[in-house]
Amino acid sequence: MVSNFTTLDMLIFAVYLLGIVGLGVFASRKGKDTNRDYFLAGDKLPWWMVGGSIIAANISSHQLVGVMGVAYDRGFVAMVVEWGAILIGFNALLWIFLPFYLRNGFYTMPEFLQRRFGATSKTIYALLVLLTYIFVEISAVLYLGALSLHALLGIPMSTSVIALAVATGVYTVLGGLRAVIWTEMVQLGVLILGMIALSFTTIDAAGGFSAVLETTKDWKLMMPADDPDFPWTMYLGGLLCISVFYNATNQFIVQRTLAAKNEWHARMGVIFGDYLKFLLPFLIIFPALVAPKLFPDLEKPDLLFAMLVEHLLPTGLVGLVMAGLIAAVMSHLSGAINSCTTILTMDVYLPYIRPKATEKDSVQFGRLSGMVVIVLGIVCTGLLALYSEKPIFIYLMNAYGYFTPGIATMFLLGILWKRTTHAGAISAGLLTVPLSLALEFAFPEMSFFNRTGIVFWSCMAVCALISFVTKPKTDAELTGLIWNKSSLSLRPEERVQQRGLRNPFIWWALITVVVLFFYVKFA
């Protein structure tokens, strides 16, 4: 147990936990038992809540603990996954997919696939993404949060996993997306405060900001093609595929934009998320870059976070930073659980089990399915205890590579190429897992990013070939489902909102230029 975890720290930590659960329960009582209110928070979110909740859900223990471990082990290149999302995934969401989601009134991503192709493609997506959420998102977040609590407080891993899952599940299952987003906004603030405290304390102990500047000579964002983890070739397919899936077709992230007041708020929310996505990783990576001066021989990089908290933080700040860690864990868990319940209810229960169910019945099923998802997540957490040779974040990216190529193919070709057929989309979805496993078995030393890229382009080729020999839908059937230039601007009735500095394009262009500058400078 951490020697400097005092009664004051315990008090701060306990107040946070009780407060966040209480807020979630309170928010759950503000909503109504309707589908739109439970699953999309009543479509009332302003842009800052959309962007803030996207990042609060996105930055969890696998960023806080995992990315910090990667940065300690590999250096500044750990930034590529975060910044790659700005250049690839969020751009795909902002300029390609978002208008179609909002203008068609979708609850879930599978709904788009059903409208575009048919029920089978929707079912394949739902299956792949539920496996991803349970085996990758929920289990990894619980594992990393429990790992840090065990290292810092001596709490048994199993106890930590169950406590985190149950505490988060209570308000998530009761309150739906409204409770999730209310708590996420508080959690984002606590997370930022905790990471500022940890970053400044670590940098100061390593010799001040000059220690960070010393590391810039080793900053690289483009690694050799044979790099085992981050080859530059990942930009040709692997990172492209994972980023498009995670940020543009992922229920977990996109659901927040679907709950926006209107399209302007949704677009500005995504762009606000870009700025947070650019800045917050510095708070995670800077401490890791200077940490080798303080702890040069860590055998397990994922324990860096716990080491910094244990050895550097003074009384009071330990409790704040631990609250920040738990904020990251709970915000991500709540978002993943809510996304699972939304997909299970809207894409499984209503179409296949009880098509005539009332909205109250649907919400009740969503709550029950949330409990099942929590239990499965707890069980799957045990699998990660076997994975220890590399930072867990590398395992996460590797796991995404099994499921995402087919999903990215279905969405990209489905929205960009009207000739894409149902048979082509199904073929891509069914090919992704077996081809990924076959390549890993045949070429075990291949970088997972390169493997994912090969599978992605194979899925694209198979989908295109089968689409050429099968009958496509008519233009009338595809109305409103194929990308065109009108997607780049708001609908006519909303364009008055984007005058002057309220124009989303201005703020998007600014952050894009800044990120590209870093890529050019540290290529």
Side-chain angles (χ1 to χ4, degrees):
M1 182 170 174
V2 180
S3 58
N4 56 342
F5 193 80
T6 65
T7 303
L8 175 61
D9 296 301
M10 182 62 76
L11 181 62
I12 293 172
F13 190 53
V15 167
Y16 167 76
L17 282 177
L18 292 174
I20 207 69
V21 173
L23 175 62
V25 172
F26 173 77
S28 71
R29 301 179 65 182
K30 299 287 287 185
K32 303 173 183 177
D33 279 347
T34 65
N35 288 346
R36 205 131 195 109
D37 199 85
Y38 185 78
F39 297 113
L40 293 181
D43 299 317
K44 296 176 182 178
L45 300 186
W47 63 270
W48 56 272
M49 288 190 79
V50 172
S53 66
I54 286 174
I55 301 305
N58 178 242
I59 295 186
S60 183
S61 56
H62 62 274
Q63 261 86 11
L64 203 60
V65 178
V67 172
M68 187 174 282
V70 174
Y72 176 88
D73 189 47
R74 297 300 313 273
F76 193 69
V77 71
M79 191 70 86
V80 299
V81 176
E82 305 302 318
W83 287 356
I86 299 174
L87 296 179
I88 301 172
F90 281 146
N91 272 339
L93 175 61
L94 187 62
W95 305 114
I96 299 177
F97 293 102
L98 186 59
F100 294 92
Y101 297 152
L102 292 172
R103 295 173 192 183
N104 285 284
F106 295 143
Y107 281 89
T108 68
M109 302 302 96
E111 283 184 84
F112 168 79
L113 292 177
Q114 181 173 28
R115 283 278 303 277
R116 178 62 179 88
F117 298 119
T120 305
S121 61
K122 179 185 78 167
T123 303
I124 291 173
Y125 172 94
L127 176 63
L128 289 173
V129 85
L130 286 171
L131 289 173
T132 304
Y133 289 156
I134 294 170
F135 285 101
V136 182
E137 294 287 348
I138 295 174
S139 60
V141 168
L142 282 173
Y143 173 79
L144 285 171
L147 181 68
S148 295
L149 287 177
H150 175 68
L152 288 166
L153 306 180
I155 302 174
M157 289 280 290
S158 57
T159 303
S160 296
V161 166
I162 294 171
L164 287 170
V166 172
T168 307
V170 167
Y171 66 79
T172 304
V173 169
L174 286 175
L177 188 63
R178 180 188 302 275
V180 169
I181 289 178
W182 277 41
T183 54
E184 279 179 346
M185 297 312 295
V186 175
Q187 288 161 336
L188 180 62
V190 174
L191 171 61
I192 291 173
L193 288 175
M195 287 314 300
I196 288 174
L198 185 61
S199 297
F200 276 87
T201 303
T202 304
I203 292 170
D204 181 64
F209 200 72
S210 60
V212 177
L213 296 178
E214 287 175 19
T215 68
T216 58
K217 66 181 185 297
D218 299 318
W219 287 11
K220 284 187 71 68
L221 293 172
M222 304 288 280
M223 307 300 284
D226 59 353
D227 187 272
D229 299 320
F230 300 102
W232 70 264
T233 49
M234 66 184 179
Y235 293 99
L236 302 179
L239 185 61
L240 170 67
C241 161
I242 292 174
S243 189
V244 167
F245 159 73
Y246 193 86
N247 299 291
T249 70
N250 181 1
Q251 181 73 24
F252 178 54
I253 296 296
V254 178
Q255 189 169 356
R256 283 129 179 87
T257 66
L258 304 183
K261 288 182 177 180
N262 55 38
E263 194 173 318
W264 181 87
H265 281 277
R267 287 181 186 262
M268 284 300 294
V270 174
I271 295 168
F272 179 49
D274 280 345
Y275 282 84
L276 294 175
K277 192 73 167 171
F278 174 74
L279 294 171
L280 288 184
F282 283 115
L283 296 177
I284 298 171
I285 287 178
F286 276 178
L289 294 178
V290 301
K293 283 190 169 186
L294 306 170
F295 309 104
D297 299 309
L298 274 183
E299 291 184 7
K300 193 175 182 67
D302 286 331
L303 287 175
L304 175 62
F305 176 86
M307 291 292 289
L308 295 179
V309 173
E310 179 177 359
H311 293 283
L312 298 181
L313 290 181
T315 297
L317 287 184
V318 175
L320 176 64
V321 171
M322 288 304 298
L325 170 67
I326 300 307
V329 172
M330 294 177 76
S331 62
H332 198 93
L333 276 180
S334 61
I337 293 167
N338 183 254
S339 294
C340 287
T341 61
T342 303
I343 290 174
L344 286 168
T345 303
M346 306 306 297
D347 300 309
V348 177
Y349 177 72
L350 287 176
Y352 300 117
I353 300 175
R354 287 193 64 187
K356 296 182 179 180
T358 65
E359 294 203 337
K360 187 173 182 179
D361 290 335
S362 299
V363 171
Q364 185 64 30
F365 176 82
R367 288 173 174 150
L368 291 173
S369 63
M371 296 177 191
V372 174
V373 166
I374 292 167
V375 172
L376 289 174
I378 292 171
V379 172
C380 293
T381 301
L383 299 175
L384 295 183
L386 303 175
Y387 185 93
S388 59
E389 64 271 17
K390 284 188 176 182
I392 287 292
F393 192 74
I394 301 296
Y395 158 82
L396 290 175
M397 292 295 102
N398 187 22
Y400 280 130
Y402 292 125
F403 303 107
T404 58
I407 295 174
T409 297
M410 288 192 289
F411 275 86
L412 284 170
L413 288 184
I415 204 167
L416 295 176
W417 188 38
K418 66 179 182 180
R419 189 69 180 75
T420 310
T421 66
H422 190 196
I426 291 173
S427 300
L430 294 176
L431 179 64
T432 184
V433 174
L435 183 55
S436 296
L437 293 172
L439 280 176
E440 183 168 36
F441 178 78
F443 305 100
E445 300 303 318
M446 180 186 292
S447 163
F448 65 87
F449 270 125
N450 286 340
R451 185 200 71 221
T452 302
I454 291 171
V455 176
F456 171 60
W457 288 113
S458 298
C459 287
M460 295 281 277
V462 168
C463 181
L465 288 172
I466 293 179
S467 294
F468 272 124
V469 297
T470 50
K471 184 179 179 181
K473 285 189 172 183
T474 64
D475 289 346
E477 291 175 299
L478 295 177
T479 301
L481 294 173
I482 301 297
W483 188 90
N484 54 58
K485 289 192 294 186
S486 67
S487 302
L488 297 174
S489 58
L490 295 173
R491 287 178 287 193
E493 61 269 24
E494 293 185 29
R495 288 176 189 167
V496 66
Q497 296 184 63
Q498 64 176 15
R499 292 175 180 171
L501 291 177
R502 291 174 59 86
N503 190 330
F505 181 82
I506 295 173
W507 298 102
W508 167 81
L510 179 60
I511 188 61
T512 302
V513 167
V514 171
V515 174
L516 287 174
F517 167 79
F518 274 87
Y519 266 90
V520 171
K521 184 172 178 61
F522 299 109

